[in-house]
Amino acid sequence: MSGGAARGPDEDPHADASHPNPPAAESPTPATGGHEDTEQAKDGHDRGEAAGPVAEPGDDEADTLPLPVGRREGVRRAVVTGGVTLSALVLAAGVYALVRPYVNPDDHGDAAAVTVRITPGAGAADVGELLAASGVVTSARSFVAAAEQREPAELKPGFYQLRTGMSAGEALDLLLAPASRAVRRVTLPEGMRLGETLRHIAEQSGVPLADLRAVDSRQVGLPDYAQGLEGFLFPATYAVQPGTTAGGLLTAMAQRFATVADRLDLEERAARLGLTPLQAVTVASIVQAEPAKDADYPKIARVIYNRLRRDMSLRIDSTILYALGKRTARPSRSGTRAGSPYNTYTRKGLPPGPISNPGVTALKAALHPAKGDWYWFVATDPAHRITKFTDKESEFVRYREELNEHLGTN
C-alpha cells in the first residue's frame, strides 16, 4: 500500500478483539544508512523539554525576559520567565576538564570552575544569592547593583560555566554570553530510525557515536517487552549537561518513553485491542513513518487493524523501505520481493518490531484507532501530507494513479 496503513480517533476498545499474528522472535535490524526524513520530522508538538539528560516540559531557551534597568524593585521582580528554582554545582578540577569542550573561560589563577543552573522564574536577587553562595561573587547585592546599571538584556535559563572570585560585572557578562552556556540541546524528531537517531544524538550532543553504539540496550531501563532500542528512544528535546555519558543519555530517552507509555496506559489499552505492548508500539511506529497529517493517524491505525482482522497482508511501503535501509517515496518492484520479516507485502501480520521512534500522537492513534471500514490508504500527495482512505479496491487503484502523477512515475 502506497504510503502505509491507516489511523483514527477513539473507538470501542473491544472492537478489534481478534489480534494480529504474533511478531517473529528475531530483533529488528536497524538501517544504518539513509537520512532524516523531513516529512516525518513533524513540528515537534509531541516533544517535551529537558534539563539535564531528562526531558522536562517548559525549560525552553526561548523563555526569556529582558533585564530591567533602573529601580531595584524592577530588577528583583524577574530576570527569567516561566519557572521557580535555581541550583548550582561547584565542580572539582577534574570535572572542569570535562566541561571545557562546551565552554572555555579564561583562566584566573586558582579560581575554581562553577556550573550554575538558572531556571525560569529567577529574580536578579535570587541569581545574586546563588552566585554569592557558590563563591562566584562577593555578595548578592553587588550582582543586583550590576544588573541595575545595565541596558536591558536577555538572560536565558540553563547551565552556565562561571568561576569563583569574579566581579559582579564579569559574572553578569558571562551569564549574558551564549558561549558560557554549559549545556547542549538534543532534539529528536518523531519518525527517525535507530541508526539515524544515534547519529543525530552524536552530532548534537558531542557524545561519540561509537560510545552510543556500544551501549548495552539491556542496561538503559527499556520495558520488558522491548527487543532493542528501536522505537523506544522517545522523540523530545533533551538538555545534555556536562559529563553526561552515552548510557545516561539513552537511559533518559528510554525513561521518557516509559513515562509517556504509562501516562497513555499503553499496556492496558494494547490488551483491550488484542495486542501485545510491543505490537502496539510497532503499529505506532508504522503510523509515524507515514507522510500523513496528524488527524489521519487514527485512520491509518484503523486500516492496519482492519487488514489484520481479515488476514490480509498489510502491504505497507514504509516497512519494506525500513528493511532496505532506504528513504525513498516508494520501494522498487524488486524491493517488494525482499526476503525480510519486515516485508509486509510477502508476509502477513505485523513486522517483528518498530520501524521508527513514534511520538505521542502516533502512540495515541495506535491505542485509539478511528472507527471505519477502510482497507486501503494512499498518500496521494506526500509533499503536502494528503492521504486518502477507501474500502474499495477500485478507488485504491485510482488513488495510486494520483500518487504516480505526483511522483512522475507509472
Side-chain angles (χ1 to χ4, degrees):
M1 213 175 323
S2 180
R7 74 157 140 145
D10 289 21
E11 65 165 4
D12 179 353
H14 300 289
D16 287 314
S18 59
H19 57 79
N21 297 341
E26 59 187 282
S27 299
T29 303
T32 56
H35 58 278
E36 179 180 336
D37 187 338
T38 55
E39 284 301 321
Q40 293 162 352
K42 302 291 195 307
D43 296 335
H45 58 272
D46 284 347
R47 301 178 197 134
E49 292 289 342
V54 181
E56 292 177 357
D59 187 14
D60 197 321
E61 286 186 322
D63 288 337
T64 61
L65 188 71
L67 279 170
V69 177
R71 295 170 55 200
R72 183 180 302 270
E73 291 78 13
V75 178
R76 286 180 181 275
R77 247 197 314 272
V79 176
V80 189
T81 62
V84 291
T85 61
L86 298 172
S87 62
L89 173 66
V90 181
L91 300 181
V95 182
Y96 177 50
L98 192 61
V99 177
R100 276 189 175 276
Y102 293 88
V103 289
N104 190 20
D106 295 334
D107 290 331
H108 277 58
D110 296 329
V114 179
T115 297
V116 176
R117 183 186 181 193
I118 299 178
T119 56
D126 299 320
V127 175
E129 290 171 3
L130 174 66
L131 298 181
S134 304
V136 175
V137 298
T138 56
S139 69
R141 181 173 300 189
S142 65
F143 179 81
V144 172
E148 287 177 334
Q149 297 169 9
R150 289 299 178 92
E151 293 296 324
E154 291 184 346
L155 176 58
K156 296 182 178 181
F159 289 82
Y160 292 84
Q161 180 67 35
L162 306 177
R163 59 184 176 272
T164 58
M166 300 181 72
S167 70
E170 289 177 324
L172 184 56
D173 286 339
L174 283 182
L175 289 174
L176 295 174
S180 298
R181 298 293 295 270
V183 67
R184 291 188 176 187
R185 301 179 82 82
V186 175
T187 298
L188 295 186
E190 298 90 343
M192 295 186 83
R193 299 169 182 166
L194 179 58
E196 298 165 342
T197 298
L198 296 182
R199 288 193 296 275
H200 189 76
I201 294 171
E203 290 170 2
Q204 291 198 346
S205 71
V207 175
L209 178 58
D211 291 357
L212 292 166
R213 287 174 170 166
V215 171
D216 185 346
S217 63
R218 296 169 297 181
Q219 303 300 319
V220 300
L222 292 173
D224 293 340
Y225 53 82
Q227 296 178 338
L229 295 174
E230 186 74 89
F232 296 96
L233 299 179
F234 192 77
T237 296
Y238 300 85
V240 183
Q241 301 179 34
T244 299
T245 64
L249 188 50
L250 298 187
T251 296
M253 295 173 178
Q255 289 176 343
R256 182 65 174 171
F257 173 88
T259 299
V260 172
D262 184 62
R263 191 173 77 228
L264 297 178
D265 284 331
L266 187 147
E267 295 190 35
E268 180 181 345
R269 292 295 311 183
R272 291 185 183 183
L273 291 167
L275 302 169
T276 68
L278 179 62
Q279 289 173 328
V281 177
T282 299
V283 171
S285 75
I286 295 172
V287 170
Q288 187 72 73
E290 294 308 317
K293 296 178 180 178
D294 290 357
D296 289 329
Y297 280 6
K299 294 181 181 178
I300 296 175
R302 170 50 61 201
V303 170
I304 293 175
Y305 295 142
N306 285 347
R307 293 181 71 89
L308 291 170
R309 185 169 53 190
R310 288 274 298 270
D311 197 31
M312 301 169 68
S313 299
L314 294 180
R315 299 176 68 84
I316 297 177
D317 292 349
S318 59
T319 63
I320 302 173
L321 293 172
Y322 174 83
L324 298 174
K326 294 184 177 180
R327 283 288 194 185
T328 55
R330 290 171 58 182
S332 63
R333 291 194 177 183
S334 61
T336 61
R337 297 190 291 270
S340 167
Y342 290 86
N343 187 344
T344 56
Y345 273 69
T346 59
R347 294 171 181 254
K348 292 183 179 180
L350 289 169
I355 65 170
S356 72
N357 283 333
V360 170
T361 304
L363 287 166
K364 285 182 177 178
L367 299 174
H368 302 274
K371 293 181 179 178
D373 54 4
W374 313 285
Y375 288 92
W376 294 271
F377 73 90
V378 179
T380 55
D381 185 355
H384 296 92
R385 292 160 60 184
I386 303 299
T387 305
K388 296 183 178 181
F389 301 82
T390 182
D391 61 350
K392 299 179 177 63
E393 189 167 6
S394 59
E395 286 187 337
F396 164 68
V397 172
R398 181 156 50 86
Y399 294 159
R400 289 281 291 200
E401 292 173 353
E402 284 185 41
L403 172 62
N404 290 339
E405 289 179 7
H406 275 101
L407 298 179
T409 59
N410 294 323

